[in-house]
């Protein structure tokens, strides 16, 4: 049985409840454990879509990155509208962290950076994104407890793997080091992502839900991953018609490995974190052989540490 240590100071969630340091023994019936186990397979499938693999290699088309930000803007606007609508619902209120988590305003600033002051007139919701948005509104209005699954799927990923994507995109697209165009990935209201994720999982586990509802939440989280994959696949199709040179961030370390890291960066992080010394050395040598490897080395291993915390949760 895994142990989770909650080390969180006061964090605002409407009431600003404080948490004292404590250890909580997790059970396979805890919601966070059920969600992690129940979405593992679909999580790996999502990571293996061509769009995500290309992104992680640093091979990013700027127009596709912009369209991805558009999809996220519509998705988070819908989700945060429904979260606000249901902020007092007993099965969601403990997870209401607007200051720490809300993303739609940050995405609006990113879109203004990419498209200019008239950005709202230049974007539209794609078909795949609209399916995702419609589902979020449906559960928010008809079955609010299922919002827990959508919030978990999006926010916990943003606080983990999203931080690697930020570094890759910043380098590949030559974005300013001051963060313009990447505010989506910056959580100014969270001092420690690890501590916050522990707090969030603890709050989920404390929700008074029967086993049937927990299973429904796992099913909804799987659906959320599928919606995300549909968006990735749509972007990949759009990319086939875009005549633009691919920008390469120089993260060829993925392709230099013979399997797992190319297949799943979270698996690579797990191996490194679990003491795979030979594997870690092989990966380090691959990075250092690249002309820019010395610069990327520290950043990459810091990112892997963050990914491991999410994958092993």
């Amino acid at each position: 049985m895994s142990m989770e240590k909650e080390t969180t100071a006061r964090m605002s969630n409407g009431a600003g409840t404080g948490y004292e340091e404590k250890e909580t023994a997790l059970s396979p019936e805890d919601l966070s454990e059920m969600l992690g186990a129940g979405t593992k397979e679909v999580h790996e499938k999502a990571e293996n879509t061509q769009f995500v693999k290309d992104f992680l290699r640093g091979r990013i088309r700027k127009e596709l990155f912009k369209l991805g930000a558009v999809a996220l803007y519509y998705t988070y606007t819908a989700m945060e509208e429904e979260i606000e609508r249901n902020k007092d619902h007993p099965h969601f209120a403990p997870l209401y962290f607007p200051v720490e988590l809300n993303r739609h305003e940050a995405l609006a600033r990113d879109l203004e950076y990419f498209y200019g002051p008239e950005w709202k007139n230049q974007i539209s919701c794609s078909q795949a994104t609209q399916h995702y948005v419609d589902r979020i509104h449906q559960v928010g209005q008809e079955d609010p407890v299922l919002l827990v699954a959508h919030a978990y799927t999006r926010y916990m990923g943003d606080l983990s793997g999203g931080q690697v994507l930020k570094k890759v995109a910043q380098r590949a697209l030559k974005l300013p080091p001051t963060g313009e165009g990447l505010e989506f990935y910056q959580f100014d209201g969270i001092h420690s992502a690890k501590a916050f994720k522990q707090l969030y999982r603890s709050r989920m586990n404390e929700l008074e839900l029967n086993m049937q509802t927990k299973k429904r939440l796992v099913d909804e989280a799987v659906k959320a991953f599928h919606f995300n994959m549909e968006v990735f696949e749509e972007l990949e199709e759009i990319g086939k018609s875009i005549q633009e040179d691919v920008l390469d961030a120089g993260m060829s370390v993925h392709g230099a490995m013979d399997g797992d890291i190319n297949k799943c960066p979270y698996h690579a992080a797990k191996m490194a974190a679990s003491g795979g010394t030979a594997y870690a050395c092989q990966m380090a040598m691959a990075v250092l052989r690249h002309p820019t490897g010395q610069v990327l080395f520290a950043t990459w291993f810091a990112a892997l540490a963050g990914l491991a915390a999410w994958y092993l949760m």
Side-chain angles (χ1 to χ4, degrees):
M1 182 179 297
S2 61
M3 299 294 291
E4 185 171 282
K5 191 174 184 181
E6 186 176 309
T7 56
T8 309
R10 294 180 62 86
M11 290 187 176
S12 64
N13 67 338
T17 304
Y19 268 65
E20 294 181 358
E21 182 173 314
K22 63 180 180 180
E23 289 193 353
T24 304
L26 295 178
S27 161
E29 296 185 356
D30 281 335
L31 181 57
S32 67
E33 296 291 281
M34 291 180 65
L35 284 168
T39 61
K40 182 179 179 180
E41 182 178 352
V42 70
H43 192 167
E44 292 177 353
K45 287 181 180 178
E47 292 162 355
N48 279 286
T49 59
Q50 192 62 46
F51 177 80
V52 174
K53 289 195 292 185
D54 285 345
F55 197 144
L56 287 166
R57 292 188 185 107
R59 297 180 61 79
I60 307 171
R61 296 175 184 266
K62 186 173 184 179
E63 287 304 313
L64 286 188
F65 183 82
K66 290 162 61 177
L67 290 174
V70 170
L72 289 172
Y73 172 76
Y74 284 110
T75 300
Y76 279 90
T77 297
M79 188 167 70
E80 287 162 9
E81 283 177 358
E82 296 305 331
I83 287 174
E84 190 65 26
R85 184 202 306 271
N86 292 284
K87 63 183 179 182
D88 296 322
H89 191 285
H91 291 153
F92 195 86
L95 301 178
Y96 182 62
F97 290 95
V99 173
E100 292 83 357
L101 294 177
N102 277 11
R103 298 288 86 201
H104 76 277
E105 291 182 359
L107 282 160
R109 292 191 293 272
D110 287 342
L111 293 177
E112 183 174 5
Y113 172 80
F114 286 118
Y115 290 98
E118 301 299 320
W119 63 272
K120 286 188 178 181
N121 297 326
Q122 299 184 50
I123 67 170
S124 61
C125 189
S126 70
Q127 184 176 13
T129 304
Q130 190 63 55
H131 292 162
Y132 196 177
V133 165
D134 289 344
R135 179 58 181 174
I136 291 170
H137 282 308
Q138 181 183 4
V139 302
Q141 295 170 28
E142 299 176 5
D143 202 356
V145 67
L146 295 184
L147 280 175
V148 173
H150 288 278
Y152 162 85
T153 302
R154 288 289 351 159
Y155 290 129
M156 294 298 99
D158 297 334
L159 285 168
S160 305
Q163 300 310 299
V164 171
L165 299 181
K166 175 184 177 181
K167 295 291 186 182
V168 175
Q170 188 171 50
R171 180 175 181 82
L173 302 177
K174 296 179 171 56
L175 296 174
T178 46
E180 287 90 338
L182 295 168
E183 291 193 41
F184 166 69
Y185 300 104
Q186 182 64 38
F187 290 80
D188 292 329
I190 296 177
H191 176 66
S192 167
K194 178 181 178 182
F196 184 85
K197 287 187 291 185
Q198 290 173 344
L199 169 62
Y200 199 89
R201 290 193 294 268
S202 294
R203 292 287 184 90
M204 287 199 304
N205 294 337
E206 291 168 2
L207 295 174
E208 295 184 3
L209 304 171
N210 58 37
M211 184 55 63
Q212 181 182 5
T213 301
K214 291 178 182 179
K215 290 179 179 178
R216 290 175 60 231
L217 281 166
V218 172
D219 290 341
E220 189 67 24
V222 170
K223 289 180 183 177
F225 273 104
H226 280 293
F227 283 121
N228 279 282
M229 282 191 284
E230 288 177 11
V231 173
F232 297 152
E233 290 164 1
E234 183 181 61
L235 289 170
E236 184 182 345
E237 283 301 310
I238 293 172
K240 294 176 181 179
S241 64
I242 295 178
Q243 299 299 318
E244 177 187 0
D245 290 338
V246 176
L247 298 174
D248 196 327
M251 298 294 284
S252 58
V253 60
H254 291 289
M257 304 306 290
D258 289 328
D260 289 334
I261 193 165
N262 189 37
K263 177 181 178 183
C264 177
Y266 292 85
H267 182 65
K270 180 180 179 181
M271 291 185 67
S274 62
T277 305
Y279 184 86
C281 289
Q282 183 184 8
M283 182 168 60
M285 290 302 294
V287 175
L288 290 174
R289 282 196 296 269
H290 192 275
T292 59
Q294 291 82 2
V295 178
L296 293 173
F297 187 82
T299 300
W300 181 243
F301 270 93
L304 283 178
L307 280 172
W310 162 241
Y311 186 85
L312 298 172
M313 74 176 185

